[in-house]
Amino acid sequence: MSYLLNTPAQQSEMLDAIGVSSIDELFNTIPENFRLGRDLNLGDHVSEMELTAQIQQLARQNASSSSHVCLMGGGAYDHFIPAVVDEIASRGEYYTAYTPYQAEASQGSLQTFFEFQSLICALTGMDVANASLYEGGTSVSEAAFMAMRVTRRHKKVVVLESVHPEYRQTLQTYLQNLETELVVVPTPSGTVDLKQVAAVMDKETACLIVQQPNFFGSLEQAAELTRMAKEAGALSIVSVDPLSLGVLKRPGTYGADIVVAEGQGLGIPLQFGGPFLGILACDEKYVRRMPGRLIGKTTDSKGEDCYVLNLQAREQHIRRDKATSNICTNQGLMAIRATVYLSSMGPKGMQEAGKRSCQGAHYLVNQLKANGWKAPFAAPYFKECVLTPPASVSEVVTQAQEGGFLVGPVLDRFTDAFCEETQEQLQNSLLLAVTEKRTLEELDQLVGVLAS
Amino acid sequence: MRNQHSTRSIFDISRSGRRSTRFPEHPANPEMSSVEEAIPAEFLAEEMAPLPELAESDIVRHYVNLSTLNMSVDTHFYPLGSCTMKFNPKRHERLAGTPGLIDMHPYQTAETSQGMLKILFELQEMLAEIAGLPAVSLHPAAGAQGEFTALLTAAAYFRDKGENRTRVIFPSSAHGTNPASAALAGFECVQLKKSATGLVDIEELQAHLDDQTAVFMITNPNTIGMFEPEIGRISQMLHDVGGLVYIDGANMNAILGKTRPGDFGGDMMHYNVHKTFTGPHGAGGPGAGPIAVRDFLADYLPAPIVTKQRDESGNEVYGLSRPAKSIGQVRSFFGNVGILLRGYFYLKTLGAVGLREVSEQAVLNANYLLSQVKDFLPVPGGDVCMHEFVASASPVLKDRGISAMDIAKRLLDYGVHAPTVYFPLDVPEAMMMEPTETESKSTLDRYAALLRTIATEEDPEMVHSAPHTTPVCRPDEVKAARQPILKATLPATGVDEPTEEPLVTRSV
């Protein structure tokens, strides 16, 4: 298989024009002793037809939301994707372009990203949003770094234990070569005790990081926590599930300083964990401290409206080691997907998807409870819930799988991420998430499979 | 044909009451509680988000029309240096969407993910072989995150050895991500001075090396398109003081199967899968930034890593594991799997010989283009380059008042994307050109002729005021930065009908 074009005749014309006798001669600047004198050990090439067959065969060895009914949660969800999203995102003019460095040749991407920023502001109730970060976990880290720049407090970051364990792990990794202390407030009852937060917030705290709904699916007192952060002179960072915002309060309405999110639910397939979409939106006064790309509206030499990469002086290619982040390649195409998704859903679609998920989850949890399952946490929840089955949780997962359902994750996998007291609550437990895709029949079937 | 009037915002074309996506109602069930019953009022939104209200046809026309305002690899020659804008094979896009790959949840059990894990394991092995570095992590989300991850890996290694190394060194021509990543990882950044040859100044580097030196970050071939001939000596110098050599993989397209970072002294590197292995660039991303490192760094790599074992019956079983002294995770879940898959498909369809030919043809194309432009756009790096080169528009600016940016803008009029301009920072009026292996001699001939036409254009004003045929011309960036407008005017919820849609909103 080859994706090359020049014929042997053209190649020899080109070599003549260059003034060398062979292609090898062009590699003469590589010292002899460093040249690989053999073929790479990559195996034989395969044709498009063979590859297609091989990949389909490998794909059949996996379970997925097309072979099973997926009720898995933990930060990645099987939400509905309208066909229009795939249609627009698979246009070559979008997916084979790059960062819009030449505005005149990129008005399509630029305007679409501008609309993405606008839609995210509309959804979160915030003033400004950037044109995407890698994913939810890194967005939390970028927000924490941003809070340190804004508050000039570099010593302490406070995060609730109910924030996704992998987001907290990412933040810990990002901080590991720095002197910043990461304080985790335990949440053994599934949501945080406000008094415990008050006890650790002080004048050295850069930010308080909250997830709403939290990793367990439960609702934190997010408005009150935001107020507490402000009182300590810290920034409040709220990580949201964007699919909840058709139903739950938008964080801009309760004064969040920075809103971050995993945007996977907004029209992005599960893809075994990536690429996903990092969202970051904030109060207008922090715009020059924001990480990532920003698109702005301006006018051109003829006075027409147009769009450009804006405030690039914050970015790595200009500011180098003083930049607000090191991000260069972002998640442009995923932002385009989210733009089309939100346009397609509109206000009512977002509300319906949220309601449907929420109602389905509550229905399923009630049915399971009637079958002897327990929910260790009492706080209100949105579309996801921690549940403890009457049998061994790993057997339950296998039983569900055999019955055509994917459930989990089993919370054992996060053993190191929680304090002992929380771990006790999570023993033999799993997360179950219900999206708007799930029908009543599917939920009843699952209950049937698990009860047998 | 381009529709010139599609420039209104999605909010402007919104009309109250239009719908695209609808959901079925749950059938009435006495046990199904309402949201108001399930969730206390204090948590519930009082009004709907002010999102636009549109029909599917509104959305399709709007975004299809917008897409046609872009130049892209599928539509135009795109010699954007350092970005490796090569053709993206269509089958790979289709295959990445295969049911059973695209719709796998990241927390599925290993048992239900064997096909996917086998692919990812094989990709790890192939990337290790191409790098000449044995341990690979597919986890980082982009090249810059790969840099950051590798630097943290190095930091953990030094900490473990009880060494306190605080400094990262890089040449002045380095990509901006190098210093930004080093700073983010908590290192002090040292930038070498601009050297006359464009290569690393060995003496200056030597002067900075001591027991505080952690890592030297180098792009090889470097950003002016030259292979650093002293890379062996440079690596030795770093190793002599106990430091490590980081290879920025942005330019791997030049050396696939010809030489390997591990063979010429690199200890760590990242790949840009979207550049080298044809994950398309996606209008700015996503990419994937896997890293490869030497064996003594393997224990510190981020988690998860794909492993292969044999079960009792001798079958291959794949799983995920965490290296013994892992720095942890730098993002949630596994990595940008969708992009990694495209890289895997590319390597499978090329094999060793095909992959080597990629570099050979990329280097041939770049040298041919160089030979066609060097007489009027001098190339400070000399007459031979790797897969890209940096020309300077200085003489054209001096003689005719035409800058690199002017040439870049005028190229757009002729249906060619501009090269990278003003990078690297240490070449005046820099124009970095990278034709890639997926362009033909005739395209390069046409491009060289265009450059010559522009550089000698009779009326320089035509060039200064270019582009003339694009949807917009020379945006006012200063105004954009001084009075930032970063979002559309959002409609108040429930308010209808702003103004009627004019037929033409733009002068053509």
Side-chain angles (χ1 to χ4, degrees):
Chain A
M1 189 92 204
S2 164
Y3 309 111
L4 306 171
L5 298 90
N6 289 317
T7 62
Q10 282 180 314
Q11 289 180 33
S12 76
E13 281 173 51
M14 292 164 82
L15 289 170
D16 285 347
I18 299 165
V20 293
S21 57
S22 71
I23 292 180
D24 264 352
E25 224 175 288
L26 298 172
F27 289 85
N28 277 349
T29 51
I30 302 176
E32 188 73 46
N33 54 326
F34 296 144
R35 285 189 228 165
L36 187 69
R38 61 171 177 87
D39 283 342
L40 287 165
N41 181 20
L42 296 181
D44 285 340
H45 66 92
V46 297
S47 65
E48 176 177 335
M49 205 167 89
E50 289 166 295
L51 180 69
T52 305
Q54 285 175 12
I55 294 304
Q56 283 169 350
Q57 199 259 333
L58 286 168
R60 279 194 292 272
Q61 295 176 20
N62 301 320
S64 72
S65 68
S66 44
S67 63
H68 288 63
V69 176
C70 180
L71 291 106
M72 297 189 72
Y77 307 95
D78 179 32
H79 283 290
F80 178 71
I81 302 176
V84 63
V85 175
D86 285 329
E87 186 67 25
I88 298 298
S90 50
R91 289 205 49 106
E93 296 93 329
Y94 279 130
Y95 82 79
T96 73
Y98 200 28
T99 305
Y101 292 123
Q102 293 291 337
E104 291 94 336
S106 318
Q107 285 298 303
S109 302
L110 284 163
Q111 186 173 332
T112 307
F113 295 146
F114 182 81
E115 291 179 2
F116 169 75
Q117 293 173 182
S118 310
L119 290 162
I120 295 301
C121 290
L123 187 65
T124 56
M126 302 300 286
D127 298 331
V128 280
N130 71 12
S132 86
L133 299 172
Y134 301 137
E135 46 83 57
T138 39
S139 300
V140 167
S141 299
E142 293 286 351
F145 277 74
M146 181 179 157
M148 289 193 264
R149 287 192 295 274
V150 169
T151 59
R152 299 194 180 156
R153 297 174 177 186
H154 293 269
K155 291 199 179 143
K156 188 168 158 186
V157 163
V158 177
V159 61
L160 305 191
E161 196 191 29
S162 57
V163 171
H164 195 302
E166 296 201 33
Y167 296 5
R168 287 189 282 119
Q169 161 74 72
T170 299
L171 179 59
Q172 198 171 19
T173 308
Y174 267 66
L175 294 172
Q176 75 183 213
N177 211 31
L178 306 176
E179 282 171 7
T180 313
E181 182 196 3
L182 183 63
V183 177
V184 181
V185 186
T187 57
S189 55
T191 48
V192 81
D193 175 351
L194 296 179
K195 280 188 262 142
Q196 290 207 37
V197 177
V200 295
M201 295 298 290
D202 59 27
K203 289 207 165 78
E204 297 199 322
T205 308
C207 56
L208 170 65
I209 305 171
V210 177
Q211 187 174 321
Q212 178 79 337
N214 68 23
F215 176 66
F216 308 123
S218 305
L219 297 171
E220 298 282 358
Q221 301 292 320
E224 189 57 22
L225 287 160
T226 296
R227 201 189 55 73
M228 288 169 72
K230 202 164 292 232
E231 223 169 66
L235 297 196
S236 56
I237 297 172
V238 184
S239 171
V240 295
D241 174 355
L243 260 297
S244 71
L245 297 180
V247 168
L248 300 181
K249 276 207 166 93
R250 295 180 291 146
T253 64
Y254 54 82
D257 293 301
I258 305 175
V259 173
V260 290
E262 172 51 72
Q264 180 266 326
L266 304 176
I268 296 165
L270 285 164
Q271 302 181 86
F272 204 54
F276 282 2
L277 172 68
I279 289 171
L280 188 145
C282 69
D283 193 295
E284 194 160 24
K285 58 180 178 280
Y286 307 131
V287 63
R288 284 168 204 274
R289 309 271 174 180
M290 269 179 116
R293 198 159 290 146
L294 281 167
I295 310 304
K297 188 176 186 177
T298 183
T299 47
D300 75 350
S301 60
K302 296 175 197 149
E304 303 279 3
D305 283 348
C306 65
Y307 301 90
V308 291
L309 291 177
N310 205 5
L311 304 177
Q312 291 183 75
R314 304 162 299 111
E315 292 191 76
Q316 45 75 30
H317 61 282
I318 307 284
R319 202 81 198 290
R320 301 175 79 80
D321 57 326
K322 304 282 190 293
T324 53
S325 88
N326 68 335
I327 290 173
C328 178
T329 296
N330 64 356
Q331 302 291 110
L333 194 66
M334 302 299 119
I336 292 172
R337 292 188 75 95
T339 305
V340 179
Y341 176 88
L342 288 169
S343 305
S344 174
M345 296 292 276
K348 293 197 188 76
M350 287 304 283
Q351 192 182 50
E352 280 174 18
K355 278 188 173 174
R356 230 177 118 78
S357 306
C358 178
Q359 287 178 312
H362 285 78
Y363 176 74
L364 178 65
V365 170
N366 289 337
Q367 298 297 309
L368 289 173
K369 278 181 174 169
N371 279 282
W373 289 53
K374 300 230 158 22
F377 302 135
Y381 59 94
F382 174 61
K383 69 175 186 198
E384 191 169 14
C385 192
V386 178
L387 288 160
T388 313
S392 138
V393 71
S394 58
E395 279 167 28
V396 165
V397 170
T398 311
Q399 198 178 355
Q401 232 157 261
E402 284 164 3
F405 292 86
L406 291 173
V407 296
V410 173
L411 293 165
D412 284 358
R413 69 179 293 144
F414 304 106
T415 307
D416 300 340
F418 295 104
C419 72
E420 251 177 61
E421 227 184 325
T422 308
Q423 270 185 49
E424 275 170 32
Q425 300 297 313
L426 299 177
Q427 269 176 19
N428 199 47
S429 297
L430 81 173
L431 277 171
L432 275 183
V434 178
T435 68
E436 71 288 349
K437 272 174 87 171
R438 298 292 72 88
T439 63
L440 197 62
E441 292 72 26
E442 286 171 341
L443 300 178
D444 284 338
Q445 269 170 26
L446 174 64
V447 174
V449 163
L450 296 178
S452 63
Chain B
M1 184 178 151
R2 179 185 296 162
N3 182 344
Q4 292 282 357
H5 91 263
S6 172
T7 50
R8 312 186 77 205
S9 116
I10 196 82
F11 291 92
D12 293 337
I13 55 178
S14 164
R15 292 292 178 275
S16 175
R18 278 190 197 162
R19 293 292 301 273
S20 180
T21 300
R22 286 171 197 272
F23 296 102
E25 291 294 322
H26 275 296
N29 185 302
E31 289 170 84
M32 179 79 76
S33 48
S34 72
V35 166
E36 289 72 20
E37 283 166 322
I39 294 178
E42 58 177 300
F43 296 108
L44 296 177
E46 279 149 21
E47 54 185 20
M48 284 190 278
L51 294 167
E53 298 177 57
L54 303 152
E56 184 173 312
S57 56
D58 290 328
I59 299 165
V60 170
R61 188 168 292 167
H62 180 71
Y63 289 112
V64 169
N65 278 322
L66 277 188
S67 77
T68 65
L69 304 182
N70 272 357
M71 282 186 176
S72 67
V73 174
D74 275 2
T75 54
H76 294 79
F77 178 41
Y78 210 125
L80 192 66
S82 192
C83 297
T84 314
M85 301 297 289
K86 59 168 87 173
F87 174 70
N88 312 108
K90 298 303 169 194
R91 175 60 52 182
H92 303 177
E93 298 305 307
R94 289 274 192 92
L95 286 179
T98 305
L101 295 182
I102 196 168
D103 42 16
M104 291 181 67
H105 192 282
Y107 288 143
Q108 280 179 224
T109 56
E111 178 202 352
T112 60
S113 319
Q114 287 298 302
M116 175 65 92
L117 292 175
K118 181 177 161 69
I119 291 175
L120 296 173
F121 182 82
E122 284 182 15
L123 181 61
Q124 275 178 196
E125 302 268 284
M126 290 194 283
L127 294 181
E129 166 69 359
I130 297 164
L133 294 165
V136 169
S137 165
L138 301 175
H139 185 60
Q145 208 191 23
E147 293 171 19
F148 174 68
T149 307
L151 289 170
L152 286 182
T153 302
Y157 161 74
F158 289 128
R159 231 180 359 252
D160 204 22
K161 286 204 334 177
E163 294 180 13
N164 179 28
R165 291 177 180 261
T166 55
R167 217 171 292 142
V168 169
I169 307 174
F170 45 85
S172 59
S173 61
H175 299 115
T177 50
N178 290 179
S181 299
L184 185 64
F187 288 103
E188 179 194 331
C189 295
V190 179
Q191 182 168 311
L192 299 182
K193 288 197 210 75
K194 175 190 164 186
S195 85
T197 58
L199 300 169
V200 172
D201 181 331
I202 303 279
E203 281 175 22
E204 197 205 352
L205 174 61
Q206 184 66 63
H208 287 291
L209 297 181
D210 56 26
D211 61 0
Q212 295 290 293
T213 308
V215 178
F216 180 53
M217 300 181 86
I218 178 169
T219 310
N220 193 27
N222 66 19
T223 46
I224 61 165
M226 312 268 290
F227 193 88
E228 294 277 351
E230 297 288 349
I231 188 67
R233 194 168 152 206
I234 291 169
S235 302
Q236 192 55 54
M237 284 158 60
L238 262 293
H239 295 153
D240 285 348
V241 295
L244 298 173
V245 177
Y246 184 86
I247 306 294
D248 179 324
N251 292 347
M252 279 303 282
N253 208 47
I255 57 172
L256 300 166
K258 304 298 276 187
T259 182
R260 308 189 301 172
D263 296 342
F264 58 70
D267 300 296
M268 315 181 274
M269 70 162 289
H270 77 259
Y271 285 99
N272 298 92
V273 177
H274 55 297
K275 294 182 182 180
T276 314
F277 305 130
T278 63
H281 293 63
I291 57 172
V293 300
R294 276 198 200 286
D295 49 3
F296 60 85
L297 295 166
D299 277 352
Y300 306 93
L301 282 177
I305 303 280
V306 189
T307 52
K308 180 168 88 172
Q309 285 165 335
R310 294 200 178 265
D311 67 8
E312 289 144 11
S313 349
N315 300 319
E316 288 173 351
V317 181
Y318 298 89
L320 293 176
S321 77
R322 185 186 169 105
K325 300 170 181 176
S326 175
I327 59 164
Q329 287 185 254
V330 293
R331 50 161 292 159
S332 39
F333 310 121
F334 183 86
N336 278 356
V337 174
I339 307 302
L340 295 168
L341 287 176
R342 289 163 172 87
Y344 174 83
F345 302 149
Y346 185 69
L347 293 171
K348 288 295 273 189
T349 51
L350 286 178
V353 175
L355 196 65
R356 191 181 63 232
E357 283 171 356
V358 162
S359 284
E360 289 173 350
Q361 296 297 318
V363 171
L364 176 64
N365 271 358
N367 277 284
Y368 177 69
L369 183 60
L370 189 158
S371 76
Q372 302 302 296
V373 304
K374 66 182 178 188
D375 63 313
F376 62 100
L377 292 173
V379 178
D383 287 351
V384 181
C385 66
M386 297 302 283
H387 70 312
E388 65 188 352
F389 62 91
V390 181
S392 169
S394 283
V396 193
L397 181 62
K398 188 160 157 274
D399 298 345
R400 304 180 48 81
I402 294 172
S403 67
M405 187 63 90
D406 292 335
I407 297 175
K409 296 296 186 196
R410 184 66 170 140
L411 277 170
L412 305 177
D413 278 337
Y414 292 101
V416 170
H417 194 280
T420 296
V421 286
Y422 302 129
F423 179 79
L425 309 177
D426 48 13
V427 173
E429 296 300 311
M431 301 180 72
M432 185 186 228
M433 306 187 193
E434 181 178 9
T436 82
E437 70 282 5
T438 61
E439 296 296 336
S440 70
K441 175 178 178 293
S442 22
T443 302
L444 305 186
D445 285 337
R446 179 171 162 263
Y447 175 61
L450 278 177
L451 286 169
R452 193 180 295 270
T453 306
I454 294 167
T456 56
E457 198 146 7
E458 266 179 39
D459 176 11
E461 194 39 44
M462 275 302 281
V463 188
H464 290 309
S465 54
H468 305 283
T469 61
T470 47
V472 302
C473 173
R474 304 244 179 169
D476 187 343
E477 298 198 23
V478 174
K479 177 175 154 190
R482 287 207 181 131
Q483 304 149 18
I485 302 173
L486 302 169
K487 67 174 179 203
T489 310
L490 306 183
T493 320
V495 175
D496 193 18
E497 306 297 320
T499 51
E500 268 313 300
E501 212 166 326
L503 277 175
V504 176
T505 59
R506 180 176 297 286
S507 53
V508 183

